[in-house]
Amino acid sequence: MELALKDKIVIVTGGAAGIGRATVDRFRAEGAIAIPWDISGAPPPSAAVDVTKRESVERAVEDVVRQYGRIDVLVNNAGILRDAQLVKWKDGAVASAMDDATFDAVINVNLRGVFIVTRAVVPHMIKARRGVILNASSVVGLYGNFGQTNYAATKAGIISFTKTWSRELGKFGIRVNAVAPGFIATEMVKAMPKNILDSMVSHTPLGSLGDPDDIANAYVWLASDAAKFVTGAVLSVDGGVVVGT
Ligand code: NAI
């Protein structure tokens, strides 16, 4: 299968760590020019870009277009977690609740950040009459998850972005798809208590956590011409997990 990604200009938000880092490496292995944007140190060529800051994002988009002339692929991968139960009830009273700052922080990065970056990139793709936008959803966006009111809502929102933008942008030759990872063995996940890791594995028919490369491979395929008739899709890459069983 010919992926034909050589010399493609690919932006990966949150490209310094975890799935984003693996995605940068995987695109580079195909000969693409993958540019990580992150708030922490990323492998070069990279830029310090906070996806929630409109001016910094717009400047970074202009820098890429000035240097390379175009943006072929955008991977909206940056995302954060701030877990808490909506309301924790103990001994007949509210023991704690998700506070406003915790809710807003996750909405700001995972939803507003994807909106800000995509809005800045899309005019360049429209001018070129081609482009691929790939969004990081999650199994929890499909099934919900205990303790993740904020995060699960953003990952469901990402699916709405994907479907809406695929309708709006198809006529310009721009494809928009989402990947919904299951439990992936990033540093953060590997640091979780053993009983939680065991429970994740027990809910996964394939019987293991996924690797960051499993997600990176999905992004690379969706970005390539091998997926040229795929848009508005949500590709689950999750070992068959069914949350809550
Ligand atoms: P991670 O925490 O290892 O890496 C996320 C990267 O995003 C970090 O380098 C971080 O500095 C960067 N980042 C955070 N806020 C940012 C901002 N405002 N601007 C720019 N960069 C920012 O995360 P991981 O696990 O690699 O996840 C990547 C994506 O995949 C996220 O959207 C996550 O929600 C999603 N996902 C991950 C799963 C997993 O099991 N690891 C499962 C399902 C979805």
Side-chain angles (χ1 to χ4, degrees):
M1 187 169 59
E2 185 51 61
L3 295 177
L5 290 168
K6 191 167 172 347
D7 298 331
K8 295 285 184 198
I9 309 302
V10 182
I11 293 170
V12 181
T13 70
I19 293 168
R21 177 76 190 246
T23 301
V24 167
D25 291 346
R26 190 66 190 78
F27 273 103
R28 288 181 181 168
E30 293 297 328
I33 297 165
I35 305 158
W37 286 358
D38 208 297
I39 47 174
S40 70
S46 64
V49 182
D50 181 336
V51 297
T52 67
K53 304 272 187 293
R54 184 169 62 84
E55 282 174 13
S56 143
V57 166
E58 288 176 354
R59 215 175 309 121
V61 167
E62 293 310 320
D63 286 349
V64 172
V65 172
R66 198 174 313 115
Q67 186 170 358
Y68 298 105
R70 63 187 194 282
I71 298 166
D72 296 305
V73 180
L74 167 64
V75 185
N76 282 311
N77 163 79
I80 61 167
L81 291 167
R82 296 281 186 281
D83 293 356
Q85 283 179 57
L86 176 67
V87 170
K88 200 167 177 177
W89 190 258
K90 205 172 168 203
D91 301 329
V94 174
S96 63
M98 179 178 282
D99 61 38
D100 291 6
T102 300
F103 181 79
D104 291 346
V106 173
I107 302 292
N108 200 31
V109 176
N110 296 13
L111 215 47
R112 206 168 150 275
V114 173
F115 161 70
I116 286 173
V117 173
T118 309
R119 184 181 57 184
V121 166
V122 156
H124 299 283
M125 292 182 168
I126 291 178
K127 274 186 225 157
R129 288 293 192 275
R130 61 175 292 136
V132 179
I133 298 163
L134 301 173
N135 297 325
S137 181
S138 166
V139 280
V140 311
L142 295 165
Y143 300 111
N145 201 19
F146 192 97
Q148 294 196 319
T149 290
N150 47 3
Y151 182 81
T154 64
K155 294 304 176 180
I158 286 292
I159 294 172
S160 298
F161 280 176
T162 302
K163 295 190 173 180
T164 299
W165 296 340
S166 68
R167 289 175 187 270
E168 292 185 359
L169 301 173
K171 61 177 179 256
F172 301 113
I174 300 169
R175 296 189 293 105
V176 190
N177 292 293
V179 172
F183 301 121
I184 308 300
T186 54
E187 293 309 313
M188 183 186 68
V189 170
K190 281 193 277 186
M192 288 179 171
K194 188 173 177 312
N195 61 327
I196 295 187
L197 287 174
D198 288 348
S199 147
M200 289 175 175
V201 170
S202 73
H203 292 313
T204 306
L206 288 182
S208 69
L209 300 179
D211 293 323
D213 271 350
D214 292 325
I215 309 305
N217 284 333
Y219 284 137
V220 162
W221 176 72
L222 283 167
S224 78
D225 285 350
K228 70 180 171 44
F229 203 51
V230 181
T231 197
V234 183
L235 177 59
S236 292
V237 182
D238 62 5
V241 75
V242 181
V243 176
T245 58

